[in-house]
Amino acid sequence: MTLTVHAVTIDCRNAADLAGFWSEALDRPVDTQPPGASEFFASIGRDETPGSDPAAGPVMMFIQVPEDRTVKNRVHLDLGASDREAEVERLVGLGATVIHDKDEWGTRWTTLADPEGNEFCVAQEPAEH
């Protein structure tokens, strides 16, 4: 038996709006295949062809739920950037909020929240030698 990650799913109030933020953040289009994006459901990565660049990341699905996020995420995305500070500035311009910067265990990262409050981190990728 083999188990693989099918998708990362994010609960939200408006699926199309949040998918739009993540589409801009990750430079990946919101899917157009049925059912397409709506306030109830949207996705990124399902339209990509099999064998496409795995560095693009997993399929992301956005599902409308009635309740707001009330506690810290137990699972979150960790993103890597060659210029962390520039990426954080770009993400803030898209609607993210900086929560804090950390420099621990030999890694520097910034924790942010997307427009609906879901936390994620942007880490500084190590310089190539």
Side-chain angles (χ1 to χ4, degrees):
M1 178 183 288
T2 301
L3 188 63
T4 60
V5 174
H6 172 73
V8 173
T9 302
I10 299 175
D11 293 344
C12 56
R13 288 185 298 274
N14 188 307
D17 287 351
L18 196 57
F21 167 82
W22 283 104
S23 171
E24 290 292 323
L26 299 172
D27 195 25
R28 295 174 71 193
V30 175
D31 294 326
T32 58
Q33 68 173 304
S38 72
E39 67 184 283
F40 305 105
F41 174 84
S43 62
I44 294 172
R46 293 184 328 132
D47 284 352
E48 293 171 3
T49 58
S52 62
D53 182 7
V59 169
M60 295 180 69
M61 296 192 308
F62 305 88
I63 308 284
Q64 184 185 74
V65 296
E67 64 278 349
D68 290 335
R69 186 184 74 81
T70 57
V71 298
K72 181 180 183 293
N73 297 28
R74 295 295 300 240
V75 175
H76 64 268
L77 297 177
D78 281 335
L79 309 173
S82 59
D83 185 343
R84 179 182 57 83
E85 292 160 344
E87 282 300 316
V88 167
E89 184 176 327
R90 184 180 72 85
L91 292 164
V92 167
L94 294 174
T97 304
V98 173
I99 296 174
H100 55 73
D101 291 311
K102 292 284 188 174
D103 188 349
E104 298 176 341
W105 309 300
T107 303
R108 295 189 64 167
W109 75 91
T110 302
T111 301
L112 300 103
D114 72 18
E116 289 210 11
N118 301 297
E119 296 171 17
F120 64 100
C121 295
V122 176
Q124 180 69 45
E125 292 179 340
E128 293 191 30
H129 300 287

